[in-house]
Amino acid sequence: MSQTVQLYDRLRAAILALDLAPGERLTERGLESEFEASRTPVRAALMRLDSEGLVQREGRGWIVSPIDTVEIGALAELREAVESAAIRLSVERASDADVQAIAALLDATRPARDEEQGVRAGGDFHVELSRLSGNALLADAVRNAMTRLARTRWLEVRTAEAREQAWREHREIIEAVAARDAERASALIASHIRGTNERLLAFLAAERQRLRGHGVAIVQAHTGGSQPSGRPRRMPQ
Amino acid sequence: MSQTVQLYDRLRAAILALDLAPGERLTERGLESEFEASRTPVRAALMRLDSEGLVQREGRGWIVSPIDTVEIGALAELREAVESAAIRLSVERASDADVQAIAALLDATRPARDEEQGVRAGGDFHVELSRLSGNALLADAVRNAMTRLARTRWLEVRTAEAREQAWREHREIIEAVAARDAERASALIASHIRGTNERLLAFLAAERQRLRGHGVAIVQAHTGGSQPSGRPRRMPQ
DNA sequence: CGATACAGTTTGGTATACCAGTACGGTATC
DNA sequence: GATACCGTACTGGTATACCAAACTGTATCG
């Protein structure tokens, strides 16, 4: 596998694991020495991560995308639109075997031992279900949204009860699909996404102080066009 | 403006204007000499265009994304999902002034003299309307979809009657938004997108032979994992 | 004590040299 | 005449040198 791909994967993993803090400034030469690669693949990886929303440009340079409650809300609205449509198409097009495969996948991850597994299982469920729509673009949109949300979703599945609730709702959804009830499946998944988002935003608001202490900045909106007054300075870590 | 951005814009324009034929093979060094830039910005532009779906990797190299009827259908489904949701939010959130601004924009482009203006006006209408949802991700998704469709949409607005019909449907839609009738606006835009897509696919099927004569390849699906048998050869141009 | 001018350093942007892998075309052989 | 082989040329991938612009810190001046 090419070095660029490996570097992309490692950078991506570091961002999603919060090893690179949201809002942190990145320099191409810093990454070059940290990941022991030359600038060319570093830049390629950054450009790809930029297109996924995991890093952004800030002025001339790069930053790890901050955790942005406005963006999280927007992602929920996008997911509701896309996944509702996808599940309708899945009800129409998916084979029974495909649906049962997802139900089995759900049963296999029933325990959802910890946050990480909960996040992974949840993401897989939503992406795989969208794939059954037969529309690759819908599935890609869902995958992309889940990636953007990955850094915060663990907050929502920290307790065993939360993981149990998520599992139960997923179970209901796949049963509606199996029953070929498009209306119910669509309503269930929309409500599931909405509820998850509300709980997530509530957790974020509650934990904001603590997370800030761990170097995780939470902002309310994308930095707009104009810079704030005063000399823009390097983030003091 | 940086050279990379200019090169990206020029390459993008060349692809959308069909100056670079769909399916055509691109080499980094060929573009380097053709656009008088070095490989670094060429690669940056290609990577960005790749993330937009206008170019793809084929083996180790690059091709201009073929015109793919499966993708066009998928884009229509994505648009229906996203734009229906966006217009509901627009009805809820947009100010009367914002809605009137779009209505004015519609009136200003009333004649829609030629295909190009028709395509541009249509794209602007759908993107600007989505922006009123207040959700940047929904608007971005719509903009991206319109870009991907730009190479074929002119087929659908070639006649004055078609442009007139599009204008009329747009007018109906914005009036439903102005009347704050979310249900009607959503239904109208879904039906508009679906109808446009059906006419477009019909035109593509009818014109397939002629377009092929002009070097425009139309495929039925993305090239899957396996290559076709036989030595893959350079396109004979 | 404060602001400001200046110079050194660091940044991303660009050009380019080099590498390894692959496709292509010609040739020799059967 | 067809086919297998091999050398050449070209491809994208990588490393790196150089550039101009911007940032940082210091020294100077009011």
Side-chain angles (χ1 to χ4, degrees), chain A residues 79 83 87 102-103 106 110 122 125-126 129 156-157 161-177 184-199:
Chain A
R79 285 185 59 199
E83 296 195 44
I87 210 170
I102 290 188
L106 209 52
R110 171 62 192 278
F125 174 79
H126 285 275
L129 186 51
E156 207 273 313
V157 290
E161 299 86 57
R163 293 195 288 275
E164 179 64 20
Q165 176 178 357
W167 185 88
R168 220 179 314 115
E169 293 184 5
H170 289 169
R171 186 76 219 181
E172 270 192 304
I173 290 166
I174 198 68
E175 279 167 5
V177 173
R184 174 170 166 78
S186 174
L188 281 176
I189 206 166
S191 146
H192 169 63
I193 291 170
R194 205 176 291 208
T196 300
N197 177 246
E198 280 165 13
R199 287 191 294 276

Side-chain angles (χ1 to χ4, degrees), chain B:
Chain B
M1 188 175 295
S2 84
Q3 190 172 142
T4 298
V5 174
Q6 283 209 15
L7 180 57
Y8 159 79
D9 285 337
R10 287 202 294 157
L11 245 174
R12 183 174 181 277
I15 291 171
L16 294 184
L18 300 175
D19 289 339
L20 295 174
E24 183 175 344
R25 196 168 196 288
L26 299 176
T27 67
E28 297 178 357
R29 284 177 169 92
L31 297 171
E32 181 182 13
S33 57
E34 183 171 353
F35 289 87
E36 292 177 343
S38 76
R39 278 180 70 204
T40 311
V42 165
R43 302 195 85 215
L46 284 172
M47 285 189 262
R48 190 162 162 193
L49 291 166
D50 183 32
S51 74
E52 297 180 56
L54 293 183
V55 306
Q56 307 175 6
R57 311 215 74 123
E58 190 203 46
R60 291 188 314 158
W62 302 90
I63 58 171
V64 179
S65 291
I67 288 176
D68 179 342
T69 57
V70 170
E71 183 192 271
I72 290 172
L75 281 165
E77 288 176 355
L78 176 66
R79 285 184 60 198
E80 191 177 327
V82 171
E83 296 197 42
S84 297
I87 208 168
R88 285 193 147 87
L89 295 172
S90 297
V91 164
E92 193 178 318
R93 296 173 182 168
S95 71
D96 288 337
D98 285 339
V99 175
Q100 287 313 315
I102 291 188
L105 181 131
L106 208 52
D107 288 337
T109 59
R110 171 62 193 276
R113 284 182 286 281
D114 51 26
E115 300 150 10
E116 192 185 325
Q117 193 183 342
V119 169
R120 176 177 298 274
D124 287 351
F125 174 80
H126 285 275
V127 172
E128 290 303 316
L129 186 52
S130 301
R131 280 166 51 84
L132 296 193
S133 70
N135 185 323
L137 296 177
L138 295 177
D140 285 350
V142 173
R143 190 200 329 277
N144 205 284
M146 297 313 275
T147 299
R148 283 188 173 209
L149 290 170
R151 289 184 300 173
T152 49
R153 266 192 315 128
W154 63 273
L155 270 173
E156 207 274 314
V157 292
R158 256 193 315 183
T159 67
E161 300 85 60
R163 294 195 289 275
E164 180 65 19
Q165 176 178 358
W167 186 89
R168 220 180 315 115
E169 294 185 3
H170 288 169
R171 186 77 219 182
E172 270 192 303
I173 290 165
I174 199 68
E175 279 166 6
V177 174
R180 306 291 168 179
D181 187 341
E183 214 50 51
R184 175 170 164 79
S186 173
L188 281 176
I189 205 166
S191 146
H192 169 63
I193 291 169
R194 204 176 290 209
T196 300
N197 178 246
E198 280 165 12
R199 286 192 295 276
L200 173 55
L201 287 178
F203 274 115
L204 267 179
E207 304 276 333
R208 184 168 180 172
Q209 300 304 330
R210 174 135 52 115
L211 289 170
R212 175 174 286 272
H214 285 67
V216 177
I218 300 175
V219 303
Q220 302 289 345
H222 283 283
T223 54
S226 61
Q227 287 294 327
S229 60
R231 251 193 200 171
R233 298 202 165 234
R234 184 177 299 183
M235 179 155 294
Q237 169 52 294

Side-chain angles (χ1 to χ4, degrees), chain A residues 67-139:
Chain A
I67 288 176
D68 180 342
T69 56
V70 170
E71 183 192 270
I72 290 172
L75 281 165
E77 288 176 356
L78 176 67
R79 285 185 59 199
E80 190 177 328
V82 171
E83 296 195 44
S84 296
I87 210 170
R88 284 193 147 87
L89 295 173
S90 296
V91 164
E92 193 177 318
R93 296 172 182 168
S95 73
D96 288 338
D98 285 338
V99 176
Q100 287 313 315
I102 290 188
L105 181 131
L106 209 52
D107 288 337
T109 58
R110 171 62 192 278
R113 282 182 287 280
D114 51 26
E115 300 150 10
E116 192 185 326
Q117 193 184 342
V119 168
R120 177 176 299 274
D124 287 351
F125 174 79
H126 285 275
V127 171
E128 289 305 315
L129 186 51
S130 301
R131 281 168 50 85
L132 295 194
S133 70
N135 184 324
L137 296 176
L138 294 177

Side-chain angles (χ1 to χ4, degrees), chain A residues 26-29 39 43 57 60:
Chain A
L26 299 175
T27 67
E28 296 178 358
R29 285 177 169 90
R39 279 180 69 205
R43 302 196 83 214
R57 311 216 74 123
R60 289 190 317 156

